[in-house]
């Protein structure tokens, strides 16, 4: 029996785009680029957003808040940095283990029936740029907080998918109105307050 080829992050993300569109999710025209968008100009701005948000809300706000934070971050990146990250949900793979296990079947069920209690769901959210760079403000801080480590060392991840050496992001669905299509009525990109402090 032939071995199934390994799907890269790019392969999975393009599948996520097509799958999301099949559900009626609004996914903007996606043009992949090989040009890195997380430049020496953009990264310091992300540092400001991360650090100021932590100062204003407290470090524990990053724990289990991947949806709210990345919705808000996507909004401010479009407004302040003229970048257009794609809100993405999926799973995280480390070795043979899958964290936040999520499948297309799960998402299809939510699209048909709604999500019920969203706080009981298994998923992770992050932002994906057309350059296939990933921005994740919550995974690393959540691990640090959950393990009782030094909160002064809180950092986030923002780099190309190939540069993640110990974990693998597995995108399942993406799109601007993805949460609305899945029945996540209580989430709003305003809730995390990025507009309160974003530099003009």
């Amino acid at each position: 029996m032939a071995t199934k080829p390994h799907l890269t992050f790019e392969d999975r993300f393009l599948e996520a785009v097509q799958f999301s569109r099949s559900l009626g999710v609004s996914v903007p025209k996606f043009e992949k680029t090989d040009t890195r968008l997380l430049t020496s100009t953009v990264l310091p701005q992300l540092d400001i957003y991360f650090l100021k948000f932590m100062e204003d809300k407290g470090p524990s706000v990053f724990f289990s808040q991947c949806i709210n934070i990345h919705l808000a971050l996507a909004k401010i990146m479009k407004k302040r940095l003229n970048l257009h990250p794609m809100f993405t949900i999926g799973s995280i793979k480390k070795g043979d283990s899958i964290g936040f296990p999520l499948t297309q079947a799960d998402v299809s069920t939510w699209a048909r029936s709604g999500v019920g209690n969203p706080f009981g769901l298994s998923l992770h959210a992050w932002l994906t740029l057309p350059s296939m760079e990933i921005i994740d403000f919550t995974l690393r801080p959540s691990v640090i907080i959950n393990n009782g480590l030094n909160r002064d060392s809180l950092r986030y991840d923002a780099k190309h998918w190939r540069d993640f050496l110990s974990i693998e992001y597995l995108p399942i669905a993406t799109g601007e109105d993805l949460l609305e299509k899945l029945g996540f009525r209580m989430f709003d990109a305003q809730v995390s307050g990025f507009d309160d402090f974003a530099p003009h």
Side-chain angles (χ1 to χ4, degrees), residues 63-96:
F63 190 73
S64 300
Q65 292 294 321
C66 59
I67 291 177
N68 286 334
I69 286 177
H70 291 113
L71 282 175
L73 182 58
K75 179 181 176 183
I76 202 61
M77 288 182 70
K78 291 176 185 177
K79 184 176 180 180
R80 306 295 189 199
L81 302 179
N82 196 31
L83 291 175
H84 299 275
M86 303 277 278
F87 178 81
T88 310
I89 63 172
S91 303
I92 303 292
K93 183 178 182 182
K94 184 172 184 178
D96 294 328

Short mmCIF file of all heavy atoms in Angstrom, two decimals, residues 63-96:
data_model
loop_
_atom_site.label_atom_id
_atom_site.label_comp_id
_atom_site.label_asym_id
_atom_site.label_seq_id
_atom_site.Cartn_x
_atom_site.Cartn_y
_atom_site.Cartn_z
N PHE A 63 -4.78 32.98 28.38
CA PHE A 63 -5.14 31.58 28.58
C PHE A 63 -6.56 31.32 28.06
O PHE A 63 -7.52 31.95 28.50
CB PHE A 63 -5.05 31.23 30.07
CG PHE A 63 -5.17 29.76 30.35
CD1 PHE A 63 -4.13 28.89 30.04
CD2 PHE A 63 -6.32 29.23 30.90
CE1 PHE A 63 -4.23 27.54 30.28
CE2 PHE A 63 -6.43 27.88 31.15
CZ PHE A 63 -5.38 27.03 30.84
N SER A 64 -6.67 30.42 27.10
CA SER A 64 -7.97 30.01 26.52
C SER A 64 -8.71 31.17 25.89
O SER A 64 -9.94 31.20 25.90
CB SER A 64 -8.84 29.35 27.60
OG SER A 64 -8.22 28.20 28.11
N GLN A 65 -7.98 32.14 25.33
CA GLN A 65 -8.62 33.27 24.67
C GLN A 65 -8.15 33.41 23.23
O GLN A 65 -8.10 34.51 22.68
CB GLN A 65 -8.33 34.56 25.45
CG GLN A 65 -8.98 34.63 26.80
CD GLN A 65 -10.49 34.71 26.69
OE1 GLN A 65 -11.03 35.37 25.82
NE2 GLN A 65 -11.18 34.00 27.57
N CYS A 66 -7.85 32.30 22.59
CA CYS A 66 -7.26 32.37 21.25
C CYS A 66 -8.23 32.98 20.23
O CYS A 66 -7.80 33.66 19.30
CB CYS A 66 -6.79 30.99 20.79
SG CYS A 66 -8.06 29.73 20.72
N ILE A 67 -9.52 32.74 20.41
CA ILE A 67 -10.49 33.27 19.44
C ILE A 67 -10.58 34.79 19.56
O ILE A 67 -10.38 35.52 18.59
CB ILE A 67 -11.87 32.62 19.63
CG1 ILE A 67 -11.82 31.14 19.21
CG2 ILE A 67 -12.93 33.35 18.81
CD1 ILE A 67 -13.11 30.39 19.44
N ASN A 68 -10.89 35.27 20.75
CA ASN A 68 -11.06 36.70 20.95
C ASN A 68 -9.82 37.49 20.58
O ASN A 68 -9.89 38.52 19.89
CB ASN A 68 -11.41 36.99 22.41
CG ASN A 68 -12.83 36.61 22.75
OD1 ASN A 68 -13.70 36.57 21.88
ND2 ASN A 68 -13.06 36.31 24.00
N ILE A 69 -8.68 37.04 21.04
CA ILE A 69 -7.45 37.80 20.82
C ILE A 69 -7.08 37.86 19.34
O ILE A 69 -6.70 38.90 18.81
CB ILE A 69 -6.31 37.22 21.67
CG1 ILE A 69 -6.53 37.60 23.15
CG2 ILE A 69 -4.94 37.69 21.19
CD1 ILE A 69 -5.53 37.03 24.11
N HIS A 70 -7.21 36.75 18.64
CA HIS A 70 -6.81 36.76 17.23
C HIS A 70 -7.83 37.46 16.33
O HIS A 70 -7.46 38.03 15.30
CB HIS A 70 -6.49 35.34 16.77
CG HIS A 70 -5.25 34.81 17.42
ND1 HIS A 70 -5.27 33.76 18.31
CD2 HIS A 70 -3.95 35.22 17.35
CE1 HIS A 70 -4.04 33.54 18.75
NE2 HIS A 70 -3.23 34.41 18.17
N LEU A 71 -9.10 37.44 16.71
CA LEU A 71 -10.08 38.26 15.98
C LEU A 71 -9.70 39.73 16.08
O LEU A 71 -9.71 40.47 15.10
CB LEU A 71 -11.48 38.05 16.55
CG LEU A 71 -12.24 36.78 16.16
CD1 LEU A 71 -13.55 36.72 16.93
CD2 LEU A 71 -12.49 36.74 14.66
N ALA A 72 -9.39 40.16 17.31
CA ALA A 72 -9.03 41.56 17.52
C ALA A 72 -7.72 41.91 16.85
O ALA A 72 -7.57 42.98 16.25
CB ALA A 72 -8.96 41.84 19.02
N LEU A 73 -6.74 41.01 16.93
CA LEU A 73 -5.44 41.27 16.32
C LEU A 73 -5.56 41.38 14.80
O LEU A 73 -4.92 42.23 14.17
CB LEU A 73 -4.45 40.18 16.71
CG LEU A 73 -3.02 40.34 16.18
CD1 LEU A 73 -2.42 41.66 16.65
CD2 LEU A 73 -2.16 39.16 16.62
N ALA A 74 -6.38 40.54 14.19
CA ALA A 74 -6.58 40.61 12.73
C ALA A 74 -7.14 41.97 12.34
O ALA A 74 -6.71 42.59 11.36
CB ALA A 74 -7.52 39.49 12.28
N LYS A 75 -8.07 42.44 13.13
CA LYS A 75 -8.69 43.74 12.85
C LYS A 75 -7.67 44.86 12.91
O LYS A 75 -7.61 45.72 12.03
CB LYS A 75 -9.82 43.98 13.85
CG LYS A 75 -10.52 45.31 13.68
CD LYS A 75 -11.60 45.47 14.73
CE LYS A 75 -12.24 46.85 14.64
NZ LYS A 75 -13.25 47.07 15.70
N ILE A 76 -6.85 44.87 13.95
CA ILE A 76 -5.90 45.97 14.11
C ILE A 76 -4.77 45.88 13.10
O ILE A 76 -4.22 46.89 12.65
CB ILE A 76 -5.37 46.04 15.55
CG1 ILE A 76 -4.84 47.44 15.85
CG2 ILE A 76 -4.30 45.00 15.81
CD1 ILE A 76 -5.87 48.53 15.74
N MET A 77 -4.38 44.67 12.69
CA MET A 77 -3.34 44.54 11.68
C MET A 77 -3.81 45.08 10.33
O MET A 77 -3.03 45.68 9.59
CB MET A 77 -2.90 43.08 11.55
CG MET A 77 -2.09 42.58 12.75
SD MET A 77 -1.54 40.87 12.56
CE MET A 77 -0.31 41.06 11.25
N LYS A 78 -5.07 44.88 10.02
CA LYS A 78 -5.61 45.44 8.78
C LYS A 78 -5.65 46.97 8.86
O LYS A 78 -5.29 47.67 7.92
CB LYS A 78 -7.02 44.91 8.54
CG LYS A 78 -7.07 43.43 8.18
CD LYS A 78 -8.50 42.96 8.04
CE LYS A 78 -8.56 41.46 7.81
NZ LYS A 78 -9.97 40.96 7.73
N LYS A 79 -6.08 47.48 10.01
CA LYS A 79 -6.28 48.91 10.17
C LYS A 79 -4.98 49.68 10.29
O LYS A 79 -4.80 50.74 9.68
CB LYS A 79 -7.15 49.16 11.40
CG LYS A 79 -7.53 50.61 11.64
CD LYS A 79 -8.47 50.72 12.83
CE LYS A 79 -8.86 52.16 13.10
NZ LYS A 79 -9.78 52.27 14.27
N ARG A 80 -4.04 49.15 11.08
CA ARG A 80 -2.82 49.90 11.39
C ARG A 80 -1.63 49.50 10.53
O ARG A 80 -0.74 50.32 10.29
CB ARG A 80 -2.45 49.70 12.87
CG ARG A 80 -3.55 50.03 13.85
CD ARG A 80 -3.91 51.49 13.84
NE ARG A 80 -4.82 51.82 14.93
CZ ARG A 80 -5.58 52.90 14.96
NH1 ARG A 80 -5.53 53.76 13.96
NH2 ARG A 80 -6.38 53.13 15.98
N LEU A 81 -1.56 48.25 10.12
CA LEU A 81 -0.37 47.77 9.41
C LEU A 81 -0.63 47.46 7.94
O LEU A 81 0.28 47.07 7.22
CB LEU A 81 0.17 46.51 10.11
CG LEU A 81 0.53 46.67 11.58
CD1 LEU A 81 1.02 45.34 12.15
CD2 LEU A 81 1.59 47.75 11.77
N ASN A 82 -1.89 47.59 7.50
CA ASN A 82 -2.26 47.29 6.11
C ASN A 82 -1.89 45.86 5.71
O ASN A 82 -1.51 45.60 4.58
CB ASN A 82 -1.62 48.28 5.14
CG ASN A 82 -2.28 48.25 3.78
OD1 ASN A 82 -3.48 47.98 3.66
ND2 ASN A 82 -1.52 48.52 2.73
N LEU A 83 -2.01 44.96 6.69
CA LEU A 83 -1.84 43.53 6.42
C LEU A 83 -3.18 42.84 6.56
O LEU A 83 -4.06 43.32 7.27
CB LEU A 83 -0.82 42.92 7.39
CG LEU A 83 0.63 43.37 7.22
CD1 LEU A 83 1.49 42.79 8.32
CD2 LEU A 83 1.17 42.96 5.85
N HIS A 84 -3.33 41.71 5.89
CA HIS A 84 -4.62 41.04 5.86
C HIS A 84 -4.47 39.57 6.27
O HIS A 84 -4.54 38.66 5.45
CB HIS A 84 -5.23 41.15 4.47
CG HIS A 84 -5.46 42.58 4.06
ND1 HIS A 84 -6.60 43.27 4.40
CD2 HIS A 84 -4.68 43.45 3.38
CE1 HIS A 84 -6.53 44.50 3.94
NE2 HIS A 84 -5.37 44.64 3.31
N PRO A 85 -4.27 39.36 7.56
CA PRO A 85 -4.15 37.98 8.05
C PRO A 85 -5.48 37.26 7.99
O PRO A 85 -6.55 37.87 8.10
CB PRO A 85 -3.68 38.16 9.50
CG PRO A 85 -4.24 39.49 9.90
CD PRO A 85 -4.19 40.34 8.66
N MET A 86 -5.42 35.96 7.83
CA MET A 86 -6.61 35.12 7.77
C MET A 86 -6.82 34.46 9.14
O MET A 86 -5.94 33.75 9.64
CB MET A 86 -6.44 34.04 6.71
CG MET A 86 -6.13 34.59 5.33
SD MET A 86 -7.61 35.10 4.45
CE MET A 86 -8.14 33.50 3.82
N PHE A 87 -7.98 34.72 9.74
CA PHE A 87 -8.34 34.04 10.98
C PHE A 87 -8.49 32.56 10.68
O PHE A 87 -9.21 32.16 9.77
CB PHE A 87 -9.64 34.62 11.53
CG PHE A 87 -10.11 33.95 12.79
CD1 PHE A 87 -9.57 34.31 14.02
CD2 PHE A 87 -11.08 32.97 12.74
CE1 PHE A 87 -9.99 33.69 15.19
CE2 PHE A 87 -11.51 32.34 13.91
CZ PHE A 87 -10.96 32.70 15.13
N THR A 88 -7.78 31.71 11.43
CA THR A 88 -7.69 30.29 11.12
C THR A 88 -7.94 29.47 12.38
O THR A 88 -7.48 29.82 13.46
CB THR A 88 -6.27 29.95 10.60
OG1 THR A 88 -5.91 30.87 9.56
CG2 THR A 88 -6.22 28.52 10.06
N ILE A 89 -8.68 28.37 12.23
CA ILE A 89 -8.85 27.43 13.34
C ILE A 89 -8.34 26.06 12.92
O ILE A 89 -8.37 25.70 11.74
CB ILE A 89 -10.30 27.32 13.84
CG1 ILE A 89 -11.22 26.78 12.74
CG2 ILE A 89 -10.80 28.66 14.35
CD1 ILE A 89 -12.65 26.47 13.23
N GLY A 90 -7.85 25.31 13.90
CA GLY A 90 -7.33 23.98 13.60
C GLY A 90 -6.77 23.32 14.84
O GLY A 90 -7.24 23.57 15.96
N SER A 91 -5.76 22.51 14.63
CA SER A 91 -5.13 21.74 15.71
C SER A 91 -3.64 22.00 15.74
O SER A 91 -3.08 22.62 14.82
CB SER A 91 -5.39 20.24 15.51
OG SER A 91 -6.77 19.95 15.45
N ILE A 92 -3.00 21.50 16.78
CA ILE A 92 -1.54 21.60 16.92
C ILE A 92 -1.00 20.17 17.09
O ILE A 92 -1.49 19.40 17.90
CB ILE A 92 -1.15 22.42 18.16
CG1 ILE A 92 -1.74 23.83 18.09
CG2 ILE A 92 0.38 22.47 18.29
CD1 ILE A 92 -1.17 24.70 17.00
N LYS A 93 0.02 19.85 16.31
CA LYS A 93 0.65 18.54 16.41
C LYS A 93 2.04 18.67 17.00
O LYS A 93 2.83 19.52 16.57
CB LYS A 93 0.74 17.88 15.03
CG LYS A 93 1.31 16.47 15.05
CD LYS A 93 1.32 15.85 13.66
CE LYS A 93 1.85 14.43 13.70
NZ LYS A 93 1.92 13.84 12.34
N LYS A 94 2.33 17.84 17.98
CA LYS A 94 3.67 17.77 18.56
C LYS A 94 4.04 16.31 18.67
O LYS A 94 3.45 15.55 19.44
CB LYS A 94 3.71 18.44 19.93
CG LYS A 94 5.12 18.48 20.52
CD LYS A 94 5.19 19.31 21.80
CE LYS A 94 6.62 19.40 22.29
NZ LYS A 94 6.73 20.24 23.51
N GLY A 95 5.01 15.90 17.88
CA GLY A 95 5.35 14.47 17.82
C GLY A 95 4.17 13.69 17.28
O GLY A 95 3.63 14.00 16.22
N ASP A 96 3.75 12.68 18.04
CA ASP A 96 2.60 11.87 17.62
C ASP A 96 1.30 12.33 18.27
O ASP A 96 0.26 11.71 18.08
CB ASP A 96 2.84 10.40 17.97
CG ASP A 96 3.99 9.79 17.17
OD1 ASP A 96 4.18 10.21 16.01
OD2 ASP A 96 4.70 8.92 17.71
#
